[in-house]
């Protein structure tokens, strides 16, 4: 694999060409407020996983429009808290998985809320949350589901779920509401950016090889899913490019990043053909708070892997104490 994007020096200066809608803040404020207005509360039930050092709970919380969203909550066995918490979002096609998976944050001493992903969770990781809202014609996957306009777009619902996941975590007795960070890789990274910008009381963000950023450039470079779902849609619906790009501009991570003022740690793979590195830098360069990015020059969409996790643990210790 070779570099297929801008040279590193130009990457580090890249800014998105996406046009921010005039009503960006108004639309998101209304979406979040409507979702918070239907508050059915958070429920959690302990589950047996066979693990002796980690407690696990099956969680349900109200997401977009009050619709029920699943999650796992994990914490060090027997710890009553309050603990700092990592709220994590999952990559494209995946769900929250099984109860004994993803143990890094809980074994490091954090509470860990892992949000399920509505309408996904069948490609590589198990999910339990339905997406009850329909849409018009769409390419297989969720990228073009309801893309005709922002009000019906799939990612409007999913971003609202992510914001409400932060709300849910901060309501839990186990969690120190002043020490909640958001985290995710790929789609999860894009959701972490949006949740940091729109959520309440987020103390930091771990953003790895984020998806959903700098759509105008991503669609030009797309050779792999999921961005190519939009390309294939527009190849058929040739007259909809302007309206589709407007819909995507509401969920563009570069616009959300400009509203995020907490510390952030990003990562990028310079040979990534799934989320091209220039699109990652578009979000990173827009980030309004203190920030750091770690480049992995010879890696694709896997990014830094376990090597980067050790950097994240050190960074979290500094940010959360």
């Amino acid at each position: 694999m070779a570099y297929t994007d801008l040279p590193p020096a130009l990457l580090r200066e890249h800014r998105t060409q996406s046009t921010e809608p005039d009503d960006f803040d108004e639309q998101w404020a209304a979406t979040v407020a409507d979702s918070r207005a239907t508050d059915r509360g958070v429920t959690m039930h302990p589950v047996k996983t066979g693990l002796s050092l980690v407690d696990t709970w099956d969680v349900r919380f109200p997401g977009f429009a009050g619709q029920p969203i699943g999650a796992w909550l994990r914490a060090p066995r027997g710890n009553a808290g309050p603990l700092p918490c990592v709220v994590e979002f999952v990559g494209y096609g995946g769900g929250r998985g099984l109860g004994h998976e993803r143990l890094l944050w809980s074994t490091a001493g954090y509470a860990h809320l892992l949000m399920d992903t509505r309408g996904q969770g069948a490609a590589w990781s198990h999910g339990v949350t339905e997406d009850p809202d329909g849409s018009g014609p769409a390419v297989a996957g969720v990228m073009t589901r309801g893309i005709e306009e922002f009000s019906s777009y799939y990612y409007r619902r999913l971003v609202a779920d992510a914001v409400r996941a932060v709300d849910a975590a901060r309501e839990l007795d186990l969690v120190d509401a002043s020490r909640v960070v958001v985290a995710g890789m790929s789609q999860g990274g894009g959701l972490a950016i949006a949740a940091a910008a729109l959520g309440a009381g987020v103390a930091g963000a771990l953003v790895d090889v984020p998806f959903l950023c700098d759509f105008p450039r991503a669609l030009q470079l797309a050779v792999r899913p999921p961005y190519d779902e939009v390309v294939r849609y527009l190849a058929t619906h040739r007259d909809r490019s302007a309206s589709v790009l407007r819909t995507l501009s509401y969920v563009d991570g570069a616009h959300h990043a400009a509203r995020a003022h907490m510390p952030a740690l990003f990562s990028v793979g310079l040979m990534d053909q799934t989320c091209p590195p220039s699109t990652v830098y578009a979000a990173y360069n827009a980030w309004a708070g203190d920030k750091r990015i770690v480049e992995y020059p010879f890696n694709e969409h896997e990014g830094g892997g376990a090597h980067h996790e050790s950097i994240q643990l050190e960074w979290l210790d500094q940010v959360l104490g």
Side-chain angles (χ1 to χ4, degrees), residues 177-229:
S178 68
R179 294 192 292 166
V180 173
V181 302
V182 291
M185 180 176 180
S186 191
Q187 175 182 258
L191 292 175
I193 293 172
L198 298 172
V202 176
L206 296 168
V207 182
D208 293 327
V209 294
F211 179 48
L212 306 172
C213 298
D214 194 7
F215 281 102
R217 183 161 181 81
L219 299 183
Q220 291 174 351
L221 297 178
V223 295
R224 295 180 180 174
Y227 283 121
D228 78 328
E229 292 179 20

Side-chain angles (χ1 to χ4, degrees), residues 21 23-24 27-28 150 246-252 255-256:
D23 61 348
F24 183 93
Q27 289 285 358
W28 278 115
F150 175 64
R246 178 171 175 79
T247 295
L248 293 173
S249 69
Y250 285 99
V251 299
D252 198 312
H255 301 323
H256 283 299

Side-chain angles (χ1 to χ4, degrees), residues 91-103:
Y92 195 81
R96 66 176 185 170
L98 303 179
H100 61 274
E101 296 182 283
R102 294 178 178 259
L103 302 177

